[in-house]
Amino acid sequence: MKRIHFTADDLARTRLATTLGAAAETLDGVKLLRRRGLGLAFRPWQASVRGRLGGRAKPLSALLPARGPVIDMVSLAGDAPSIEEAVDTFLGAPRDLMRIELENIDFHPSHRPWAQSLMDGDREARLEVAAALRHCHRVGLAPFAGRVHSHLVAKRSAYMHTLAETGVEGLLAHLCTPLTRWRPPVLEVRHARDADVHLGGRGLVITPTFFSTPQVELLQSPLEPDRAPVLAVPAVTGADVGTPLWDIGESTDRSLGDLLGRTRAAALEAVAHGCNTTQLSRRLGISAAAASHHAGVLREARLISTRREGKAVLHVLTPLGIALLEATGRVG
């Protein structure tokens, strides 16, 4: 059992996020494929993906031992919704952070020399993990990205509704029973390891996760002790069996592309997460000038709005942009 202790300041600073990010969801997906007794809700996805990852997924599999702790990909790759942003963050992660994340993992004997190279800062070992992240994301997540994002947004919206109706304590009381239990001022989380965690005024970030096993996890950045921990809560339950979680939705994707053009449609979807022009260019794999042009066209069509934040600008969806993505099933 993990016991998360709240103060009044922690309750006031508790907030919601939409996703753990592309890298963490990708690693969780690989882990989920290896799980025995996979729930019915995931079996269509398993049948579609299993056998297609191949040997290129081996670096990620090596980071997922049969027992004990696993690597915290949020700490190393951040929570960016773009796999390319996540990979860039991973490649630039401090060596000390990599060592902290890996030193307590019970690696298979055949993986230990490679893991040691990764801990020692070997660039080639990092590039192998980065390539595996890209490959596994392309095969296991990208074909279902619209549905996954919609489901996560819907789950976050449900949290927000509970928060608005019952307050933070009401949200904590109904968060993820029976895996969590609110006994003020402590949130008890069912877990294999026993621990007491005192938030100490940092607050808590609660985020739904899609490809997680049925386990609530508390993630803390070891090199940023003042940063609010993240509580990752499974978003897919038995109640989702039979729902169209795994529809790729090619027809709606084509219709949006026919309307706006393929790149501009992708730009509109990328802005759903909020981004500046540099982030938009990286998410789309185009130049900053091209990204700025596409953003300008979307802004003129009143699908996005842009505001200045310091030296950068932030692009966000307008209600019209949200409605267009909702109509094509690209966002909840």
Side-chain angles (χ1 to χ4, degrees):
M1 180 75 70
K2 284 191 176 181
R3 293 168 293 276
I4 305 172
H5 298 257
F6 286 75
T7 65
D9 286 341
D10 294 315
L11 291 172
R13 290 171 182 159
T14 294
R15 58 191 187 277
L16 302 171
T18 302
T19 176
L20 281 180
E25 290 285 6
T26 299
L27 186 67
D28 281 347
V30 175
K31 183 179 180 181
L32 202 60
L33 280 174
R34 298 169 55 185
R35 180 180 173 84
R36 293 182 179 180
L38 194 64
L40 290 174
F42 282 101
R43 287 188 183 171
W45 169 76
Q46 181 187 47
S48 174
V49 174
R50 177 165 282 175
R52 296 177 56 211
L53 295 183
R56 296 169 71 180
K58 186 176 179 180
L60 292 190
S61 298
L63 297 174
L64 297 168
R67 60 183 182 275
V70 298
I71 194 170
D72 178 1
M73 195 57 77
V74 177
S75 178
L76 289 168
D79 59 359
S82 160
I83 192 62
E84 289 304 322
E85 284 185 64
V87 165
D88 286 348
T89 301
F90 174 80
L91 291 175
R95 184 183 299 184
D96 288 347
L97 180 60
M98 184 72 72
R99 180 173 293 278
I100 290 171
E101 288 294 342
L102 296 179
E103 62 186 359
N104 294 318
I105 294 180
D106 185 18
F107 288 103
H108 188 276
S110 63
H111 297 149
R112 286 172 188 164
W114 174 83
Q116 187 62 52
S117 297
L118 192 58
M119 281 191 280
D120 291 341
D122 182 73
R123 183 70 175 175
E124 189 60 35
R126 285 208 193 195
L127 289 173
E128 290 175 6
V129 177
L133 279 170
R134 290 190 181 100
H135 170 69
C136 293
H137 183 273
R138 181 171 61 253
V139 173
L141 274 75
F144 315 102
R147 288 292 183 181
V148 169
H149 182 65
S150 294
H151 191 80
L152 291 174
V153 170
K155 182 64 70 170
R156 181 177 182 269
S157 296
Y159 291 163
M160 291 177 66
H161 177 75
T162 301
L163 182 65
E165 293 292 323
T166 65
V168 178
E169 294 200 65
L171 173 64
L172 296 174
H174 299 91
L175 189 59
C176 190
T177 54
L179 298 180
T180 63
R181 181 169 58 175
W182 175 238
R183 304 180 106 180
V186 177
L187 180 67
E188 296 179 342
V189 178
R190 186 181 296 175
H191 203 276
R193 294 188 295 277
D194 191 75
D196 284 276
V197 179
H198 294 267
L199 297 177
R202 294 172 297 171
L204 183 70
V205 179
I206 299 171
T207 182
T209 65
F210 197 89
F211 289 98
S212 62
T213 55
Q215 172 71 62
V216 177
E217 292 287 355
L218 185 68
L219 308 175
Q220 303 183 79
S221 177
L223 296 187
E224 298 177 280
D226 295 332
R227 185 175 178 179
V230 175
L231 192 71
V233 183
V236 179
T237 66
D240 296 301
V241 175
T243 61
L245 287 175
W246 310 112
D247 290 353
I248 297 178
E250 292 179 353
S251 62
T252 58
D253 286 357
R254 280 200 303 269
S255 66
L256 187 62
D258 290 343
L259 178 65
L260 300 177
R262 184 174 179 179
T263 302
R264 209 157 287 157
L268 183 65
E269 187 175 8
V271 171
H273 304 285
C275 62
N276 59 37
T277 302
T278 300
Q279 291 169 330
L280 181 61
S281 69
R282 291 167 68 184
R283 290 176 188 179
L284 300 179
I286 60 178
S287 69
S292 180
H293 171 72
H294 287 301
V297 173
L298 294 174
R299 186 166 53 251
E300 288 295 321
R302 299 184 179 180
L303 296 176
I304 71 171
S305 64
T306 302
R307 66 174 184 266
R308 183 161 293 281
E309 290 196 345
K311 296 182 179 180
V313 296
L314 179 67
H315 307 298
V316 296
L317 293 178
T318 64
L320 181 61
I322 294 172
L324 182 58
L325 287 182
E326 285 179 340
T328 55
R330 302 290 282 268
V331 68

